[in-house]
């Protein structure tokens, strides 16, 4: 019929499956701890950034409300957050969300007196650059358009 030793060696034993499951569980646990640590550090940096902008720091802890305040700090209409609902539409929604994220990074950077290079860093490495805004020497300039000397 069939060779029992061939199939048992080909598929491995249940001990192998348990070992692989334990390793996968350990990797998942370490990954989860790292992601949680990054989120906590970003929240602390956002708390400091909110207080620099004259908002209460606790507002960064409330999930949707923190976006409203972040858009307000960046000088963007909070109604634009409704465009995040388009995320559920494949491709079009993702492109809209990507555009909003870029627009937010540029305006947030400008509201703290930083340039476009900082906006790129804010877009690609958000947790690090949020902490730079919160703990660094950047001061909140507001969202008013800059006036020239000739005026």
């Amino acid at each position: 019929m069939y060779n029992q030793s061939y199939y048992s060696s080909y598929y491995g034993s249940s001990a192998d499956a348990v070992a692989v499951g334990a390793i996968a569980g350990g990797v998942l646990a370490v990954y989860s701890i790292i992601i949680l640590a990054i989120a906590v550090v970003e929240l602390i940096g956002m708390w400091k950034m909110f207080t620099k902008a004259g908002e209460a720091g606790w507002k960064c802890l409330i999930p949707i409300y923190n976006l409203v305040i972040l858009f307000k700090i960046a000088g963007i209409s909070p109604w634009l957050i409704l465009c995040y609902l388009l995320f559920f539409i494949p491709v079009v929604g993702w492109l809209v969300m990507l555009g909003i994220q870029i627009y937010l990074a540029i305006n947030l950077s400008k509201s703290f007196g930083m340039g476009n290079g900082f906006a790129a860093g804010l877009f690609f490495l958000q947790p690090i650059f949020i902490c730079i805004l919160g703990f660094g020497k950047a001061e909140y300039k507001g969202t008013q358009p800059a006036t020239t000397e000739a005026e």
Side-chain angles (χ1 to χ4, degrees):
M1 297 258 195
Y2 64 91
N3 186 353
Q4 178 66 29
S5 64
Y6 170 75
Y7 286 105
S8 63
S9 65
Y10 179 74
Y11 290 112
S13 65
S14 60
D16 292 340
V18 170
V20 169
I23 291 170
V27 168
L28 183 63
V30 170
Y31 178 74
S32 298
I33 290 170
I34 290 170
I35 294 299
L36 184 64
I38 290 171
V40 167
V41 169
E42 185 175 9
L43 274 175
I44 293 169
M46 192 175 286
W47 185 299
K48 296 289 284 180
M49 183 183 68
F50 276 24
T51 56
K52 276 186 177 183
E55 296 289 338
W58 61 266
K59 292 180 181 180
C60 75
L61 301 175
I62 303 172
I64 302 298
Y65 188 54
N66 67 1
L67 278 176
V68 171
I69 300 301
L70 193 62
F71 276 47
K72 180 182 166 188
I73 290 170
I76 302 173
S77 171
W79 287 102
L80 201 57
I81 294 172
L82 293 177
C83 292
Y84 273 111
L85 297 177
L86 295 175
F87 179 77
F88 294 108
I89 301 172
V91 182
V92 173
W94 301 333
L95 292 174
V96 168
M97 193 167 169
L98 182 68
I100 291 171
Q101 286 294 114
I102 292 170
Y103 186 61
L104 176 64
I106 291 169
N107 285 343
L108 190 62
S109 174
K110 287 180 182 176
S111 67
F112 278 91
M114 301 293 192
N116 290 334
F118 193 87
L122 196 57
F123 177 74
F124 289 111
L125 298 170
Q126 183 176 350
I128 295 169
F129 281 79
I130 289 287
C131 288
I132 291 172
L133 285 178
F135 294 109
K137 295 179 181 179
E139 293 181 19
Y140 183 65
K141 307 287 185 196
T143 57
Q144 303 87 342
T147 59
T148 61
E149 294 290 325
E151 291 180 17

